[in-house]
Amino acid sequence: MAGLDASNTAEMAFDLNVVDRSELVVALSGELDITNVERLQSAVSDALDRSPERLVVDLSRLRFADSSGIALWVQWSTLVDEIELREPSPLLRKVIGSMGLSRTLNVTP
Amino acid sequence: MIESPVSDADAEEPTGIEGDGRVVDPRPAAPGRRRWLFWPAVAVGVVGILVTGALALISATQYNHNEHRLLKLRTDDAGSVLGASVPSIQTVLASAASVADVTNGNVQKFTKFIAPYAGPGKQFSSVSLWKLSSPMSGPLTVIGTSPELSTSMNLAVPFFAQVRNASKVAVIGLLHASQPRLGYGFGTPSAGPYVAYGESLLPADRRTRVKNRSSFSDLNFAIYLGATPRAQNLLVGGGSNLPVTGTHSTVSVPFGNTFLTLVVSARGSLAGALPRDLPWIVAIAGLLLSLGAAALTSRLIDRRAHAERLAGSLERIAKENRRLYSEQRSIAQTLQHALLPDKLPTVRGVETSARYAAGVEGVDIGGDWYDLIAMDDQRLLLVVGDVSGRGLRAAATMASLRYAIHAYAAQNDPPATILTKLSKLVSVGSSGQLATILCALVDVDAHRLTVTSAGHLPPLLLSNGSGTYVQSEVGVPIGVSTSATYTSIDVSTPPSATLLAFTDGLVERRGESLDTGLARLRDAATGNHAELDDLLDDLIGQLRHDGAEDDTAIAGLRWLD
């Protein structure tokens, strides 16, 4: 039954890695969308509170992200000095480009 | 009859959900009457009792039958024992008579022969020698006590007549004397002149004490002389009072020239205590089992009724949930509808249309919107936007953006200026929200478009069976930066052109490139020559697959050249 079934959440896993005091690497896999974006947000917010200078978002194993995921990354970009979105899939790269966010989110390569 | 717990529920039916969310049984069992008397339980009990009764009855019948059989066997056994005593009597007397015969009535020889057998404590209380032809003369000699017969000549004479003719020992009962006795008379086989006559004493009270553990200690018996058990012929009895009452068995055994009749009844149970008690054990055990089974059955029925009531409650709760869900969804849709323009402005020279399609999963209101604002009687502002996220927060942001655009349009701000000003209203850092917006200023008479995009997909311009996307330089979505700036592209439109602006729900599919979706839209739109309203409906029908999760807004404008 729609809306009442908690198992509709998309499968998404993430891995936080504090490289050193000034860099945080977040690796995402699976699919990031409205059903699990809050979980990711609360998991990373503590680490962001420690104000790393640099945030690297590793998207090499992320199959899909919708506008709520992209909005979260944009929000992260306002909390750090430098952000890098590393290796998004071609589809995701195109979407970010069509939203005019390639420069803002520093999509690499 | 068990009451059906799931009846047709109407809206007022209690759902069984307490205020704090606990589930309770909303229809408890009827108060005041403890319902344990269900008819299947009663049936089980009755069947059990009937079966028990039948078994107990069979058991009792079997027992009685068995007792009869055993009694008969024991009686026949006892009779054989009695009958077996005859030969020894007969042999002794026959030998004594032979001795007399052979010795011609020699008294000493007779006495010497018979001495071991006659006297107190011996087989006969007395043995006497008689002349067969003259019983009236009395005995020739007596060993032991004086024979009773000698005092009853009226009995002796017919008795000796019997002896004369008998091949078996003749037996006479002398039962009326003070000392009752049995008399046995036997002559010689060759019918000699001498008769040996012995008497055995019977207990004066006609009672014998049977040793406790002998094989007859569990029997009451009475032994009668003759073929029938007549009281005056009672020789001896043992056990309880005489005559033998109740269930008895009778056997008559040959005894000399007469019979002994043995009447036997059982003292207690011949088969033993357990067979006797078995019918009661069966009855009581069966009764308890039947009651237990009935109680268990009624408990099971009760439990099942309870479970069914709970299932009914759960069903009602689920039904209530479904109702609440669809209510919320319809509230969302109503709100969405309220936030979107209900009437599109009319401007001379163009027709306008717009559609909104909600995502299939949504109970929450979405962030997509469209707007058409008449700037003056020749110019229109066409706006399509998409706030990230869902729910009331997205809707509130969407509403404030929409009204802000109206305000800036009223001030005659061009699209780029409108978007630049909007950027200052939303901040993703604090709200977590972004909005993509496509803003197009349409000059109807001049056939010109001024298009600006803040992170939004380009609009599609259709004419003459072909379509192109009006690609301006895409600025960042609203909310990324309060100091964002935007640029526009100016485009001339051919006659009878159609402009379509839409949100990404129309072209995006998971796992598919954006270009594929945009090409699909263009192909569908260029091939469709329907009226503008129908075109929008067709596009939504064709391009949104069943179960699309995302909302879609689409706005269209067509020159009426």
Side-chain angles (χ1 to χ4, degrees):
Chain A
M1 194 187 309
L4 301 179
D5 183 359
S7 66
N8 264 350
T9 319
E11 201 194 303
M12 188 264 302
F14 50 85
D15 191 36
L16 274 71
N17 193 8
V18 181
V19 172
D20 54 45
R21 300 195 132 266
S22 65
E23 177 165 314
L24 174 64
V25 179
V26 178
L28 302 179
S29 61
E31 299 183 351
L32 177 60
D33 64 17
I34 188 75
T35 63
N36 51 29
V37 69
E38 269 184 44
R39 182 159 66 95
L40 176 59
Q41 179 186 27
S42 48
V44 175
S45 70
D46 284 347
L48 287 177
D49 281 346
R50 280 176 239 132
S51 305
E53 291 165 16
R54 197 174 146 70
L55 170 64
V56 175
V57 187
D58 182 348
L59 300 178
S60 54
R61 293 197 358 261
L62 187 70
R63 289 195 300 270
F64 171 84
D66 70 358
S67 61
S68 56
I70 295 171
L72 180 63
W73 297 333
V74 176
Q75 187 182 30
W76 288 348
S77 76
T78 67
L79 300 173
V80 295
D81 296 335
E82 256 185 73
I83 191 170
E84 181 187 337
L85 255 58
R86 196 178 284 173
E87 290 175 54
S89 70
L91 266 59
L92 189 53
R93 188 193 302 272
K94 191 86 210 313
V95 170
I96 293 172
S98 76
M99 292 174 81
L101 287 171
S102 300
R103 184 121 38 108
T104 308
L105 291 175
N106 191 16
V107 174
T108 61
Chain B
M1 202 55 202
I2 300 169
E3 191 188 322
S4 169
V6 182
S7 55
D8 301 318
D10 61 345
E12 278 76 32
E13 185 68 40
T15 58
I17 312 173
E18 298 291 290
D20 59 0
R22 284 179 299 124
V23 174
V24 300
D25 182 357
R27 298 157 62 99
R33 178 168 73 101
R34 170 121 172 69
R35 291 172 67 201
W36 56 272
L37 203 62
F38 299 106
W39 67 261
V42 169
V44 164
V46 165
V47 166
I49 287 173
L50 288 177
V51 167
T52 298
L55 286 177
L57 195 62
I58 291 171
S59 185
T61 306
Q62 271 302 100
Y63 168 74
N64 286 333
H65 183 78
N66 208 31
E67 286 291 291
H68 273 114
R69 189 178 60 85
L70 282 174
L71 184 61
K72 178 136 191 350
L73 281 174
R74 299 289 297 278
T75 306
D76 292 350
D77 269 355
S80 307
V81 167
L82 280 181
S85 64
V86 170
S88 62
I89 296 168
Q90 189 158 301
T91 311
V92 168
L93 294 176
S95 308
S98 297
V99 165
D101 235 11
V102 160
T103 60
N104 248 354
N106 185 313
V107 169
Q108 285 86 358
K109 288 226 162 71
F110 180 82
T111 305
K112 188 166 168 208
F113 175 78
I114 207 67
Y117 302 98
K122 302 217 174 91
Q123 186 172 2
F124 299 100
S125 58
S126 76
V127 178
S128 41
L129 181 65
W130 297 61
K131 208 104 195 303
L132 182 61
S133 51
S134 51
M136 303 287 285
S137 336
L140 297 173
T141 183
V142 174
I143 300 92
T145 62
S146 174
E148 182 68 29
L149 194 64
S150 53
T151 62
S152 317
M153 278 303 135
N154 53 328
L155 296 175
V157 171
F159 176 65
F160 279 105
Q162 286 178 4
V163 175
R164 191 204 303 276
N165 298 324
S167 55
K168 304 180 202 172
V169 65
V171 180
I172 184 169
L174 302 159
L175 307 175
H176 300 294
S178 53
Q179 185 72 288
R181 48 193 91 189
L182 272 178
Y184 308 94
F186 204 67
T188 56
S190 52
Y194 294 101
V195 173
Y197 173 74
E199 283 187 351
S200 294
L201 292 178
L202 295 169
D205 61 355
R206 317 282 180 91
R207 298 217 51 158
T208 181
R209 300 283 175 274
V210 175
K211 292 204 235 318
N212 252 354
R213 270 177 293 139
S214 83
S215 52
F216 297 101
S217 58
D218 56 348
L219 301 174
N220 300 318
F221 61 91
I223 308 177
Y224 299 86
L225 184 63
T228 54
R230 271 192 238 150
Q232 62 262 39
N233 291 340
L234 176 68
L235 297 180
V236 71
S240 64
N241 291 329
L242 306 169
V244 170
T245 53
T247 313
H248 62 270
S249 185
T250 305
V251 68
S252 293
V253 294
F255 195 69
N257 69 339
T258 181
F259 292 89
L260 285 185
T261 296
L262 177 61
V263 179
V264 180
S265 76
R267 312 168 80 176
S269 171
L270 291 178
L274 180 59
R276 175 194 63 207
D277 296 334
L278 193 61
W280 285 111
I281 294 172
V282 165
I284 290 170
L287 181 66
L288 291 176
L289 279 174
S290 301
L291 291 177
L296 183 64
T297 306
S298 87
R299 193 171 146 81
L300 286 174
I301 292 172
D302 194 36
R303 280 221 172 147
R304 196 186 130 143
H306 182 69
E308 281 178 350
R309 280 197 296 272
L310 274 180
S313 303
L314 287 173
E315 239 182 80
R316 278 193 293 278
I317 291 169
K319 195 168 144 185
E320 179 72 7
N321 276 344
R322 283 196 291 274
R323 189 185 68 76
L324 288 171
Y325 170 78
S326 68
E327 207 176 83
Q328 189 178 0
R329 187 162 156 76
S330 85
I331 288 172
Q333 287 176 348
T334 307
L335 196 53
Q336 191 90 52
H337 190 74
L339 290 173
L340 293 174
D342 53 355
K343 218 169 55 153
L344 298 180
T346 44
V347 171
R348 190 181 42 82
V350 291
E351 66 172 324
T352 56
S353 182
R355 293 287 183 270
Y356 172 80
V360 78
E361 293 286 324
V363 278
D364 276 340
I365 185 173
D368 288 15
W369 87 92
Y370 60 82
D371 217 344
L372 280 134
I373 306 168
M375 307 272 284
D376 52 44
D377 61 0
Q378 294 198 71
R379 294 182 310 155
L380 267 176
L381 199 66
L382 177 79
V383 181
V384 159
D386 180 357
V387 178
S388 64
R390 298 186 70 84
L392 285 178
R393 289 184 61 236
T397 304
M398 180 257 272
S400 41
L401 287 173
R402 216 187 124 219
Y403 295 126
I405 294 172
H406 273 260
Y408 301 140
Q411 293 173 352
N412 231 357
D413 287 337
T417 309
I418 291 174
L419 292 181
T420 306
K421 287 185 179 178
L422 284 179
S423 282
K424 303 186 196 320
L425 296 181
V426 180
S427 163
V428 71
S430 49
S431 69
Q433 290 175 322
L434 294 176
T436 66
I437 303 182
L438 189 286
C439 192
L441 180 61
V442 178
D443 192 326
V444 175
D445 287 345
H447 285 77
R448 288 192 72 77
L449 291 176
T450 305
V451 176
T452 315
S453 166
H456 203 89
L457 293 170
L460 182 61
L461 186 63
L462 303 167
S463 87
N464 264 353
S466 71
T468 47
Y469 286 100
V470 183
Q471 191 68 60
S472 59
E473 192 185 314
V474 177
V476 293
I478 303 297
V480 171
S481 164
T482 52
S483 54
T485 55
Y486 299 88
T487 59
S488 310
I489 187 174
D490 275 348
V491 168
S492 300
T493 61
S496 309
T498 304
L499 182 69
L500 297 176
F502 50 90
T503 56
D504 59 8
L506 193 62
V507 293
E508 257 189 12
R509 290 197 195 162
R510 228 175 254 234
E512 185 188 74
S513 162
L514 194 53
D515 292 334
T516 310
L518 290 169
R520 188 166 52 228
L521 170 61
R522 183 178 56 210
D523 291 343
T526 53
N528 190 317
H529 305 289
E531 291 292 316
L532 185 61
D533 283 335
D534 297 333
L535 171 64
L536 297 190
D537 288 331
D538 290 345
L539 290 176
I540 285 180
Q542 284 171 316
L543 298 180
R544 276 169 57 83
H545 54 279
D546 284 343
E549 289 160 10
D550 218 0
D551 292 5
T552 293
I554 180 170
L557 179 148
R558 178 174 284 175
W559 272 267
L560 297 170
D561 308 303

